[in-house]
Amino acid sequence: MTDERDVTVNVPMLARVEGEGALHLHIQGDRIEELRLQIYEPPRLFEKFLEGRHYDEVPDIVARICGICPVAYQMSAVQALEDIIGFTPQPWLRAMRRLMYCGEWIESHSLHIHLLAAPDYLGFDNAAALARDYPDEVRRGLRLQLLGNDIIKLLGGRSVHPVGVCVAGFHRAPELSQVTALSLRLQEALDDAAALITWVAGFDLPQDEQDFTCVAMRHRHEYPMNEGRLISSAGLDIAVDEFADHFQEHQVPHSTALHALLHGHPYLVGPLARLNLNLDHVPPALRGLLDATGINFPSRNMFHSIVARAAEIYLAIHEAKTLLDAYQYPSASRVEVQMPAGIGYGCTEAPRGILWQRIAVDDQGLIEQATIIPPTSQNQARIEEDLRLSLQGLGLHHDDALLRLHGEKVIRNYDPCISCATHFLKLDVTGR
Amino acid sequence: MNPVRIIGVGSPFGQDRLAWQVIESLEAAGIQDHFPPGRLSLHSSDRPGAALLELMRGAEFVLIVDALQSGARAGTILCLNPDQLATTPGFISSHDFGVSAALELGLVLGDLPARVRVIAVEMDPGQSSSRPLPAALVQQLHEVIINEIKS
């Protein structure tokens, strides 16, 4: 072995991420010569599928983009379409959309923590191996995931690719008996969520402080989900329709997903960015739980993302219970609207971060053009930046297996949804 | 709660729609009519992940139908136990947590019904998902499924 290592590490297919991608890493001596996060799922082309379709079809079509976060695609889409109409959701509709989003955050975050990320921190290869030593924790995760699914089902008819969402309403309103039963389960789940925060905060999380820009939505009165302005930790404060003036998408040769930059620089979206920028909207009980972890939020350690996810599960359960306890059966679940020709903008907080859409409709109510910018696409440049910093921080002298594992941990922190972004990991390390 | 459940796992697009087509064909053939009311139910599920465990909860016997891509001849049918899945190459999973991972997790947690069988059908890459499955394959699958329930 010589002092000057020239090594290539390849993770040809990333495990425990949503979708398919790879990591190529070329190390020469003490330098990373090349690092490429390759997303090779074929582009899904949903933006093109929408062209020529009636606006009424949009919520059901975009729900097909992802089996994990369909609600996010539906919510940003109806917001963009309602922006064209000039429609403002009445309180019942606003509350039910927020409730449905709570369901998706609970379901998606629970899946990620228990089945995809926790094995990384507790030294297991997969969720089944984890379940042999931590059966109660894994059962808790499955219970929370099911609860999230059932909230989505309450409004969407089913949890995967729900069909209940429409422009200016829902196709049907939940019955009071369904609401009461779910509210009881939410009360019990708060204890599960509190224990989950303590559990993940106790993991041996690497200390890796980095300088990065957080981007999230911001609402005057509440933790952001369905509405608000776009803000950043660097002082950005814009309306949703100003997104394209500040954020630029560009293609990189090694990925079928577009990279996005804010003023030319990588940025972070997702639970840690959201929590960092909206700590003042966290319920007091959750603030107490977070303080007890000993972690100082806002945090600049990406490995605290798993704690932020657990915190958002607690927040979403708390929020969902509040919304359900105030539930009243509406006189109508949707409003009749007329769609004029025009361009609308929508942005909501998907589990993995902001999901921005621009939709143009013609005078027949048909979609002329659609742009959909999912969170994983936005996080790609930040993931590559984080990988460089984290691997250099770890030390490039370590063996390939350790570099590979650490790289995968870094990537999984972002809970990348590659299927959504393809528009994601195999590690491939060369050189040394 | 139906004691016998047949669950087709797939997706609405492409060749992974195969299991959904099988469930549709069983429904069209009136398979439920051959059993006492409430005894058997049919389900089509879109990549359920770990939620597959919930779909099976309370059942005595579950048959999971899934598309297989192993390079075998199109239409090849494999009948497997859950513990045989992890080593069977080529199971299609659109997301990382697929049928085999869900069944392995269920085995570890002791959460599987008393009897679970997986019927894996080799897909035909040249077959458009908008066309019906070949009649001979449908008939063969119906016979396999009925034999599994009877045995």
Side-chain angles (χ1 to χ4, degrees):
Chain A
M1 187 163 173
T2 63
D3 290 332
E4 187 72 4
R5 296 212 300 167
D6 186 10
V7 170
T8 298
V9 178
N10 283 294
V11 180
M13 184 146 179
L14 283 168
R16 288 189 274 124
V17 295
E18 303 289 350
E20 293 181 6
L23 175 64
H24 173 82
L25 187 59
H26 184 157
I27 298 167
Q28 194 132 31
D30 57 0
R31 283 194 330 274
I32 295 176
E33 287 292 326
E34 194 179 9
L35 187 152
R36 294 194 313 264
L37 181 64
Q38 293 173 296
I39 292 182
Y40 55 83
E41 281 208 353
R44 309 248 333 247
L45 303 173
F46 270 85
E47 293 163 337
K48 283 288 175 194
F49 294 163
L50 288 170
E51 289 179 10
R53 308 302 289 249
H54 194 264
Y55 77 87
D56 263 349
E57 296 180 273
V58 173
D60 290 341
I61 295 174
V62 295
R64 299 286 181 178
I65 295 175
C66 182
I68 308 295
C69 50
V71 175
Y73 287 92
Q74 294 184 308
M75 293 299 161
S76 292
V78 292
Q79 192 186 85
L81 291 165
E82 291 166 3
D83 184 38
I84 301 172
I85 303 167
F87 174 84
T88 304
Q90 69 278 27
W92 181 87
L93 176 57
R94 188 181 186 283
M96 290 303 102
R97 285 185 175 165
R98 192 165 170 82
L99 173 66
M100 196 173 185
Y101 233 136
C102 287
E104 183 158 282
W105 280 19
I106 297 166
E107 162 263 319
S108 177
H109 286 352
S110 300
L111 166 73
H112 176 78
I113 291 174
H114 295 88
L115 302 183
L116 307 180
D120 273 341
Y121 300 105
L122 297 170
F124 299 95
D125 286 338
N126 55 53
L130 174 75
R132 286 188 185 92
D133 286 6
Y134 293 89
D136 294 341
E137 287 82 357
V138 171
R139 282 200 184 92
R140 178 181 64 205
L142 295 173
R143 202 159 56 231
L144 286 167
Q145 195 185 344
L146 179 67
L147 176 66
N149 281 337
D150 286 347
I151 295 173
I152 297 171
K153 206 184 291 180
L154 179 77
L155 289 147
R158 60 192 189 199
S159 58
V160 181
H161 310 319
V163 291
V165 175
C166 59
V167 173
F170 282 96
H171 289 297
R172 61 172 281 280
E175 300 294 335
L176 273 171
S177 57
Q178 295 174 285
V179 167
T180 306
L182 207 45
S183 178
L184 290 170
R185 286 173 59 198
L186 284 161
Q187 181 61 47
E188 293 165 6
L190 270 179
D191 292 340
D192 275 347
L196 177 60
I197 293 171
T198 309
W199 188 54
V200 297
F203 290 173
D204 186 17
L205 301 170
Q207 295 299 316
D208 188 9
E209 299 264 328
Q210 296 180 10
D211 187 22
F212 52 83
T213 300
C214 296
V215 172
M217 298 191 77
R218 173 83 185 166
H219 187 275
R220 273 180 301 167
H221 307 300
E222 62 195 13
Y223 200 84
M225 284 183 193
N226 270 56
E227 57 189 67
R229 291 175 66 78
L230 282 165
I231 66 163
S232 83
S233 52
L236 182 82
D237 184 352
I238 58 168
V240 165
D241 62 6
E242 296 175 288
F243 179 93
D245 298 335
H246 300 269
F247 296 83
Q248 294 82 37
E249 279 193 302
H250 68 280
Q251 192 148 23
V252 293
H254 58 267
S255 175
T256 54
L258 295 171
H259 276 216
L261 298 172
L262 166 62
H263 301 148
H265 299 286
Y267 59 100
L268 172 74
V269 299
L272 186 63
R274 232 165 11 224
L275 186 65
N276 280 348
L277 294 173
N278 291 281
L279 278 168
D280 54 329
H281 288 321
V282 161
L286 174 55
R287 189 68 218 211
L289 288 163
L290 287 174
D291 287 346
T293 65
I295 298 169
N296 283 322
F297 289 101
S299 168
R300 308 211 67 78
N301 182 357
M302 267 309 296
F303 288 100
H304 290 154
S305 293
I306 194 168
V307 184
R309 256 179 215 104
E312 288 195 336
I313 292 174
Y314 185 97
L315 182 140
I317 293 171
H318 177 276
E319 187 84 19
K321 177 154 176 49
T322 305
L323 293 166
L324 284 180
D325 288 350
Y327 183 79
Q328 291 186 320
Y329 194 80
S331 54
S333 65
R334 66 185 296 190
V335 176
E336 289 301 325
V337 290
Q338 295 293 320
M339 176 66 72
I343 297 170
Y345 302 87
C347 189
T348 65
E349 284 282 2
R352 292 157 184 81
I354 57 168
L355 198 169
W356 187 84
Q357 298 188 23
R358 174 192 185 274
I359 302 179
V361 179
D362 70 13
D363 55 11
Q364 303 297 306
L366 305 178
I367 307 304
E368 276 185 331
Q369 187 273 340
T371 303
I372 300 174
I373 305 184
T376 295
S377 174
Q378 299 182 65
N379 270 340
Q380 277 185 107
R382 171 84 264 272
I383 299 174
E384 288 189 350
E385 180 184 61
D386 188 351
L387 279 164
R388 279 185 184 277
L389 293 168
S390 291
L391 291 170
Q392 264 160 345
L394 178 76
L396 300 176
H397 58 282
H398 289 295
D399 62 38
D400 292 3
L402 184 64
L403 289 174
R404 176 187 167 134
L405 177 65
H406 196 75
E408 289 191 288
K409 273 162 101 162
V410 167
I411 293 164
R412 279 196 285 271
N413 255 335
Y414 294 79
D415 189 12
C417 194
I418 298 165
S419 309
C420 287
T422 46
H423 122 118
F424 191 146
L425 203 73
K426 294 177 174 185
L427 173 68
D428 170 21
V429 182
T430 63
R432 283 206 233 226
Chain B
M1 299 290 274
N2 316 88
V4 180
R5 291 176 212 165
I6 308 177
I7 302 172
V9 176
S11 82
F13 303 120
Q15 273 77 37
D16 200 17
R17 197 171 168 272
L18 185 149
W20 285 28
Q21 291 176 295
V22 174
I23 298 297
E24 287 162 10
S25 72
L26 289 167
E27 197 155 23
I31 189 172
Q32 285 149 302
D33 300 339
H34 297 282
F35 296 86
R39 176 84 186 147
L40 181 140
S41 61
L42 300 170
H43 307 265
S44 291
S45 184
D46 187 351
R47 296 158 289 181
L52 182 62
L53 299 178
E54 278 308 315
L55 286 171
M56 297 192 291
R57 197 172 301 283
E60 295 165 8
F61 175 41
V62 172
L63 262 174
I64 295 167
V65 184
D66 199 1
L68 177 73
Q69 190 174 43
S70 69
R73 185 175 51 82
T76 300
I77 301 169
L78 296 177
C79 300
L80 304 162
N81 292 323
D83 59 358
Q84 293 176 286
L85 268 187
T87 53
T88 304
F91 266 86
I92 296 302
S93 169
S94 302
H95 283 77
D96 188 58
F97 211 85
V99 169
S100 55
L103 292 178
E104 190 182 359
L105 186 59
L107 275 174
V108 171
L109 293 173
D111 279 353
L112 293 186
R115 197 165 158 242
V116 177
R117 292 278 282 169
V118 178
I119 297 180
V121 189
E122 186 76 22
M123 61 174 67
D124 180 355
Q127 160 94 19
S128 165
S129 59
S130 59
R131 296 182 58 188
L133 292 175
L137 175 62
V138 170
Q139 188 180 348
Q140 192 185 356
L141 276 164
H142 286 198
E143 285 168 8
V144 168
I145 287 167
I146 287 166
N147 284 337
E148 285 284 344
I149 296 171
K150 283 181 177 168
S151 62

